[in-house]
Amino acid sequence: MSGDLANSVNKLDIKENSVTNHNNDGGDDDQVDPWNVVSQADTGVDYEKLIKRFGSSKIDEELLARFEKVTGKPVHHLLRRGFFFSHRDMHSILTRYENGKPFYLYTGRGPSSSSMHLGHLIPFTLCKWLQDVFSCPLVIQLTDDEKTLWKDLKVEQAYQMALENAKDIIACGFDINKTFIFSDFTYIGQRSEFYRNMIRIQKCVTFNQVKGIFGFDDSSVIGKIAFPAVQATPALSTSFPDIFGDKKVPCLIPCAIDQDPYFRMTRDVCPRIGFDKPALLHSKFFPALQGAKTKMSSSEANSTIFMNDTPKQLKNKINKHAFSGGQATVEEHRKLGGNCDLDISYQYLRFFLEDDEKLEQIKKDYTSGALLTGELKKILIETLTPVLTQHQQNRSKITDDTLKTFMTPRKLC
């Protein structure tokens, strides 16, 4: 490796205060890395500090206005309400679109359960919208290899979960003619171009650098040390010869902010091997039912609303476990009102209730005490029930042939 690249990565680690052992600056106790998200604050992660720590750019009104001007479409409410709050080089993607130059979307899913949960919908919801707005191809990586390395899962279990998660993803409504979904366990062995690019990336990153970026140590299994290159490789368009041939096309990656360390590494390596840096859109975390101190996780059933939960399960989970921002008694609540910044039911509505006026009225009523916590939870249940029901209906219509088509390497429109 050249001295310039080594110095670049080392400087990047210092500037962006990389994850794990280096995630605490100036009293900031938030832990954010690809495997753990924990905040000491009841309101959750301090995203302003995270932008500074990771060295990304805030999605501001100027970028949103340009988005609407370039596309001729109003921005999605996940962008408008700040759930996608940070970016890298989004302006360059808009410039490419203005100039009629191609780009593609890339996102992923690490299958750790047979069903996705509500939080997993966030990047896929925006990806679906971006695919429709820009009419561009999308590749979706299922990192079943990663989950085998980090979880107590056998290869066969992780692969089956990947297939089940693929059905959940397809149920989001992606265009079959513009979407390729792949499992690492199958695709890497099918296409030598992917493996060659993976090796090119691995050759550019040292053990010291992945230790600094990801917090690996001498007891980490070698599969973990090598894996970051696997997640980086889909950002190189020639990894998909059936879609792009040998053309070098840049990509846009919508993902949660905890995945950014992978792509900081990717962006450092890409120019060294002749590719454009990927652009990114970062989302906030979807909070657990018990509060915003941690994100929703498949490993905690009572903190999570799964996409295959029944209406009864959904209702019970929200009523029993959704953290309240209300007061201890009805009398106190009527007098003092509730705290929407803490209340999980309100926070979930901000993700899923698209009507701005209705959302604002709910906030006003809950803050004033006119709306009680039980009534707010009822509104959330009524909002989410059709979301889950529609998703389950869509999923039930997915045949084995449909799944096979989405996961077959092929030319996309």
Side-chain angles (χ1 to χ4, degrees):
M1 176 187 294
S2 72
D4 289 343
L5 178 59
N7 290 335
S8 174
V9 175
N10 288 334
K11 289 177 181 177
L12 179 146
D13 284 345
I14 294 171
K15 176 185 176 182
E16 299 182 346
N17 205 8
S18 292
V19 297
T20 60
N21 295 330
H22 306 288
N23 68 349
N24 196 340
D25 61 353
D28 178 8
D29 292 325
D30 291 345
Q31 180 183 3
V32 177
D33 62 46
W35 310 282
N36 301 285
V37 176
V38 179
S39 174
Q40 300 303 312
D42 291 335
T43 52
V45 172
D46 187 326
Y47 292 102
E48 293 291 336
K49 287 185 177 180
L50 207 57
I51 286 174
K52 294 178 180 179
R53 200 169 80 205
F54 282 7
S56 58
S57 300
K58 185 176 181 179
I59 295 177
D60 55 18
E61 291 301 322
E62 178 186 356
L63 178 58
L64 296 180
R66 189 181 178 209
F67 213 118
E68 292 190 341
K69 180 180 179 182
V70 169
T71 64
K73 303 287 179 63
V75 294
H76 196 278
H77 74 274
L78 290 175
L79 282 164
R80 190 176 69 249
R81 293 178 185 168
F83 292 117
F84 280 82
F85 70 103
S86 167
H87 76 99
R88 296 187 189 276
D89 289 342
M90 187 61 209
H91 280 289
S92 68
I93 293 294
L94 293 176
T95 298
R96 289 190 68 85
Y97 185 72
E98 281 182 311
N99 295 333
K101 295 181 179 180
F103 69 93
Y104 68 101
L105 298 169
Y106 156 42
T107 195
R109 164 82 188 111
S112 56
S113 63
S114 59
S115 173
M116 296 198 325
H117 61 59
L118 278 178
H120 296 142
L121 283 187
I122 303 306
F124 291 115
T125 297
L126 191 73
C127 271
K128 168 68 169 63
W129 181 79
L130 290 169
Q131 184 182 66
D132 293 343
V133 168
F134 292 110
S135 188
C136 60
L138 163 67
V139 297
I140 300 173
Q141 181 184 40
L142 302 174
T143 55
D144 36 18
D145 50 348
E146 176 198 20
K147 292 306 176 184
T148 302
L149 291 166
W150 266 270
K151 301 283 186 179
D152 185 20
L153 292 173
K154 295 181 179 179
V155 168
E156 294 78 13
Q157 290 175 303
Y159 177 64
Q160 285 302 315
M161 287 179 179
L163 297 181
E164 294 301 316
N165 283 195
K167 295 176 184 177
D168 274 328
I169 293 168
I170 294 168
C172 294
F174 291 107
D175 188 336
I176 196 170
N177 297 308
K178 297 177 184 176
T179 307
F180 173 49
I181 304 172
F182 66 98
S183 149
D184 284 345
F185 278 143
T186 57
Y187 186 70
I188 294 174
Q190 290 177 340
R191 292 295 180 270
S192 61
E193 292 83 357
F194 191 101
Y195 185 68
R196 291 172 183 174
N197 280 340
M198 195 170 76
I199 295 301
R200 291 184 177 105
I201 294 169
Q202 288 178 344
K203 192 175 180 180
C204 287
V205 185
T206 69
F207 181 40
N208 275 339
Q209 286 159 359
V210 293
K211 283 198 298 183
I213 298 170
F214 299 99
F216 301 142
D217 56 34
D218 292 343
S219 65
S220 300
V221 298
I222 59 174
K224 290 183 178 182
I225 296 162
F227 175 75
V230 181
Q231 187 158 320
T233 302
L236 279 55
S237 59
T238 55
S239 303
F240 307 101
D242 302 275
I243 304 173
F244 303 107
D246 60 358
K247 294 180 180 177
K248 294 182 177 180
V249 180
C251 73
L252 170 63
I253 307 172
C255 64
I257 187 69
D258 59 344
Q259 298 301 300
D260 187 68
Y262 284 114
F263 302 115
R264 295 205 300 272
M265 183 198 79
T266 308
R267 284 168 54 84
D268 190 84
V269 170
C270 276
R272 305 295 301 179
I273 56 178
F275 288 85
D276 290 330
K277 295 180 179 182
L280 286 98
L281 289 172
H282 298 128
S283 75
K284 295 179 179 179
F285 303 114
F286 194 81
L289 281 166
Q290 284 79 2
K293 287 187 176 183
T294 185
K295 67 176 181 177
M296 186 173 280
S297 170
S298 298
S299 61
E300 296 291 338
N302 288 330
S303 76
T304 305
I305 297 172
F306 290 100
M307 300 311 299
N308 63 356
D309 279 348
T310 66
K312 183 178 180 180
Q313 288 174 315
L314 169 67
K315 181 178 180 179
N316 287 340
K317 285 183 177 181
I318 292 174
N319 283 332
K320 291 181 180 179
H321 301 294
F323 187 82
S324 170
Q327 304 300 328
T329 67
V330 172
E331 291 75 15
E332 288 180 359
H333 187 85
R334 294 294 191 198
K335 180 181 178 180
L336 302 174
N339 187 337
C340 287
D341 292 335
L342 299 181
D343 194 282
I344 287 298
S345 294
Y346 177 77
Q347 292 303 317
Y348 283 15
L349 285 172
R350 292 188 69 231
F351 280 94
F352 288 99
L353 184 61
E354 296 185 26
D355 188 325
D356 288 339
E357 290 185 6
K358 186 175 181 180
L359 184 67
E360 183 59 32
Q361 187 62 50
I362 290 170
K363 181 178 182 180
K364 180 179 178 181
D365 291 345
Y366 192 64
T367 303
S368 69
L371 187 70
L372 299 175
T373 296
E375 294 169 331
L376 180 57
K377 288 185 176 184
K378 185 175 183 291
I379 295 172
L380 177 63
I381 292 166
E382 292 172 347
T383 301
L384 290 183
T385 297
V387 173
L388 264 61
T389 301
Q390 185 62 58
H391 182 90
Q392 291 164 14
Q393 290 176 355
N394 293 346
R395 196 182 191 282
S396 68
K397 298 174 183 177
I398 298 168
T399 64
D400 290 341
D401 286 342
T402 300
L403 178 62
K404 182 178 179 181
T405 300
F406 268 98
M407 299 189 71
T408 297
R410 67 204 188 283
K411 186 72 174 176
L412 300 181
C413 294

